[in-house]
């Protein structure tokens, strides 16, 4: 169905809202992060091959093929696959010998901060830019101290950090620089694919990512020596039978995960196209709702369009973000408040750094007004039209909604 053929519904009838007692608009839940499934046949064939081969882990052929494909998308020389992005971050941090304090955004999934704290390195939170929701270079300089050894930028929602400015700061203060690119596979920045920025970048292939390996992660880099160390470190430090050269851990990706990852990668173009069509439908249907705006993707860049990020301006829209989320949940639309609370408002950081919020006004602002809506293969423009209708209806019956939510 073309977008134009879908009516721009805006039936103002408070009884139509589930939060006011109507039947939920969706019979089954519409999730954020519903896994995309590529070809079942291809996946099952790969799993059969794996069983026939009896090679399930430890740098198997599917893992190697997966690494080649990811490196090719990221346009990097090396890719080292891992069991998930959190362990990949931890291993990259250790391989780069980060210590003391490392600067990160607080507005990110808590894994970015935990990967440091887990190794007794202090994540020092810097503020974000309001437009891109990524690290504000000025905010980085404000928190550099004599203990700072590195910076981890996060390409949030697939929007790349201001890599040029951050690189200059890293060089000026002699800091190691790496990126959490968990959201940014197949995205570009100023024409260059995400993957080649900093010393290394980390992708996630968790089930909820647009390309998934059930669970999975990968570190990409152009540094051969670093790639070699990363490979040892993900396998207990083994460099061959009986030869342990580094402190290591078990960060290996299994063959079953790589089989899923390869199958998912085969559908990359198709999934991105679905996400793009959904994004354009969101842009179209949500365009005229006052106080509601979408985080924009730059059409000059490669984007994976995997997150639909909605900003609710409390001074314009009569309901706040939490009320909007409650309205959606009642309709079986499981919108998420990513990333609220921000890391500095979560434990252990809340207790360890009780004054962190003083330097994070933009983080506080964005985290209080943003929510993420469903997209991917489980959503289509008809559903998105219904979502816009729900918001429009809530807009016109805001007092009743507020009242209902109090009880
Ligand atoms: N850095 C950043 C910036 C990240 O965003 C992440 C992860 C990481 C690092 C670490 O990457 P990994 O170590 O995970 O590879 C989810 C994901 O678990 C997490 O991977 C992701 N970011 C984060 C943004 O979202 P939760 O706790 O919100 O997940 P959960 O279980 O609530 O699932 C989200 C939705 O997806 C639910 O509504 C249900 C649906 N779902 C989920 C799974 C697992 C399904 O429909 N099927 C499924 O199999 O963290």
């Amino acid at each position: 169905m073309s977008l134009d053929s879908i009516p721009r519904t805006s039936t103002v009838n408070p009884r139509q809202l589930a939060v006011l007692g109507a039947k939920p608009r969706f019979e089954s839940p519409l999730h954020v992060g519903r896994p995309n499934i590529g070809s079942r046949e291809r996946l099952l064939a790969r799993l059969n091959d794996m069983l026939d081969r009896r090679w399930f882990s430890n740098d198997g052929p599917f893992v190697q093929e997966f690494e080649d494909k990811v490196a090719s998308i990221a346009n990097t020389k090396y890719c080292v696959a891992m069991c998930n992005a959190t362990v990949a971050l931890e291993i990259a941090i250790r391989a780069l010998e980060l210590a003391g304090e490392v600067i990160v955004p607080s507005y990110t999934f808590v894994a970015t901060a935990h990967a440091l704290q887990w190794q007794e390195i202090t994540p020092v939170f810097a503020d974000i830019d309001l437009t891109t929701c990524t690290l504000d270079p000025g905010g980085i300089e404000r928190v550099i101290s004599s203990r700072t050894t590195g910076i981890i930028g996060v390409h949030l929602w697939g929007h790349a950090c201001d890599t040029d400015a951050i690189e200059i700061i890293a060089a000026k203060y002699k800091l190691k620089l790496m990126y959490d690119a968990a959201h940014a596979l197949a995205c570009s920045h100023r024409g260059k694919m995400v993957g080649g920025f900093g010393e290394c970048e980390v992708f996630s292939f968790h089930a909820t990512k647009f390309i998934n390996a059930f669970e999975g992660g990968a570190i990409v880099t152009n540094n051969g020596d670093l790639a070699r160390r990363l490979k040892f470190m993900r396998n207990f430090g083994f460099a061959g039978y009986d030869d342990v050269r580094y402190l290591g851990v078990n960060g290996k990706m299994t063959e079953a995960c790589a089989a899923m990852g390869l199958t998912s990668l085969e559908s990359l173009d198709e999934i991105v196209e679905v996400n793009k069509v959904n994004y354009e439908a969101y842009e179209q249907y949500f365009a005229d709702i006052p106080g509601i705006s979408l985080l924009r993707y730059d059409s000059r860049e490669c984007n994976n369009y995997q997150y639909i990020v909605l900003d609710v301006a409390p001074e314009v829209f009569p309901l706040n973000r939490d009320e909007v989320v409650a309205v959606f949940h009642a309709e079986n639309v499981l919108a998420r408040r990513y990333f609220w609370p921000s890391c500095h408002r979560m434990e252990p950081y809340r207790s360890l750094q009780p004054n962190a919020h003083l330097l994070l006004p933009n983080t506080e602002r964005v985290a209080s007004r943003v929510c993420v809506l469903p997209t991917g293969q489980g959503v289509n423009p008809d559903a998105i039209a219904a979502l816009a209708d729900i918001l429009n209806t809530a807009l016109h019956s805001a007092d009743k909604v507020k009242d209902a939510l109090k009880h």
Side-chain angles (χ1 to χ4, degrees):
M1 182 182 244
S2 88
L3 294 188
D4 293 341
S5 62
I6 298 169
R8 297 188 60 149
T9 48
S10 171
T11 321
V12 182
N13 180 351
R15 279 170 305 174
Q16 286 189 344
L17 288 178
V19 77
L20 299 178
K23 225 174 110 211
R25 199 74 70 99
F26 294 90
E27 274 177 18
S28 47
L30 218 55
H31 290 279
V32 171
R34 199 76 171 148
N36 297 310
I37 301 170
S39 160
R40 271 171 207 255
E41 293 71 29
R42 299 276 299 150
L43 173 63
L44 295 175
R46 284 195 167 100
L47 292 175
N48 260 328
D49 286 352
M50 180 193 83
L51 294 173
D52 289 345
R53 255 198 308 268
R54 289 178 194 268
W55 194 276
F56 296 167
S57 186
N58 294 27
D59 211 14
F62 284 152
V63 165
Q64 291 179 24
E65 192 183 342
F66 180 74
E67 290 176 336
D68 288 347
K69 295 229 156 78
V70 171
S72 147
I73 293 168
N75 203 16
T76 56
K77 286 192 189 143
Y78 309 97
C79 169
V80 185
M82 302 271 175
C83 55
N84 59 53
T86 306
V87 168
L89 283 167
E90 287 168 6
I91 292 178
I93 286 163
R94 198 171 269 270
L96 291 178
E97 298 177 348
L98 298 182
E101 294 178 358
V102 171
I103 296 169
V104 287
S106 173
Y107 190 59
T108 176
F109 190 58
V110 73
T112 321
H114 278 356
L116 291 161
Q117 189 72 41
W118 192 254
Q119 326 194 46
E120 298 185 358
I121 300 167
T122 304
V124 173
F125 300 117
D127 210 3
I128 52 167
D129 173 83
L130 279 178
T131 322
T132 61
C133 295
T134 62
L135 275 179
D136 166 24
I140 296 175
E141 288 213 80
R142 270 196 289 283
V143 294
I144 289 176
S145 79
S146 58
R147 297 190 68 229
T148 311
T149 58
I151 303 169
I152 304 180
V154 180
H155 303 310
L156 206 82
W157 316 128
H159 296 266
C161 296
D162 185 347
T163 51
D164 289 349
I166 296 176
E167 208 171 309
I168 290 169
I169 295 170
K172 180 171 161 193
Y173 294 93
K174 297 192 170 39
L175 304 176
K176 298 267 175 60
L177 173 61
M178 59 174 271
Y179 288 98
D180 177 339
H183 302 174
L185 180 77
C187 295
S188 69
H189 178 52
R190 298 189 181 132
K192 175 174 167 179
M193 293 310 287
V194 166
F197 296 105
E199 308 259 359
C200 63
E201 305 211 47
V202 173
F203 295 124
S204 169
F205 298 98
H206 181 257
T208 53
K209 299 292 180 287
F210 83 114
I211 296 298
N212 84 87
F214 300 136
E215 286 271 4
I219 306 173
V220 287
T221 180
N222 287 313
N223 179 334
D225 183 50
L226 176 62
R228 205 171 48 84
R229 272 181 292 136
L230 292 169
K231 275 196 149 191
F232 293 144
M233 290 171 91
R234 79 167 173 194
N235 186 25
F236 313 101
F238 275 106
Y241 287 152
D242 317 321
D243 179 13
V244 171
R245 296 201 190 154
Y246 294 92
L247 176 64
V249 70
N250 185 351
K252 300 187 297 295
M253 177 181 268
T254 66
E255 284 290 278
C257 287
M260 183 59 182
L262 284 169
T263 308
S264 192
L265 282 175
E266 280 167 358
S267 299
L268 187 144
D269 291 343
E270 194 188 312
I271 296 168
V272 170
E273 186 52 31
V274 167
N275 285 347
K276 185 162 185 265
V277 167
N278 285 343
Y279 168 68
E280 286 166 359
Y282 272 109
E283 274 195 317
Q284 181 185 347
Y285 292 120
F286 283 55
D288 299 331
I289 310 178
I292 297 292
S293 50
L294 291 178
L295 193 71
R296 292 290 159 96
Y297 288 97
D298 182 345
S299 58
R300 295 165 302 180
E301 302 287 358
C302 300
N303 299 298
N304 58 37
Y305 299 97
Q306 70 174 315
Y307 292 103
I308 301 294
V309 184
L310 195 78
D311 180 277
V312 182
E315 62 282 7
V316 182
F317 198 77
L319 301 172
N320 64 34
R321 185 271 314 269
D322 292 351
E323 290 162 338
V324 166
V325 168
V327 166
F328 277 133
H329 277 225
E331 305 289 349
N332 243 336
V333 179
L334 304 184
R336 297 294 297 261
R337 294 186 291 188
Y338 290 138
F339 288 107
W340 181 89
S342 308
C343 297
H344 69 282
R345 296 272 182 198
M346 290 180 168
E347 291 297 355
Y349 315 107
R350 186 169 56 191
S351 298
L352 292 172
Q353 305 182 32
N355 295 324
H357 63 281
L358 297 174
L359 284 176
L360 304 171
N362 292 350
T363 301
E364 297 264 289
R365 179 186 155 92
V366 172
S368 71
R369 45 191 278 165
V370 156
C371 64
V372 176
L373 297 180
T375 186
Q377 290 174 330
V379 181
N380 62 22
D382 285 343
I384 293 162
L387 262 58
D389 187 51
I390 291 166
L391 259 192
N392 267 317
T393 311
L395 164 70
H396 290 103
S397 40
D399 289 344
K400 287 196 171 67
V401 169
K402 277 182 182 292
D403 228 41
L405 289 174
K406 273 190 209 134
H407 299 115

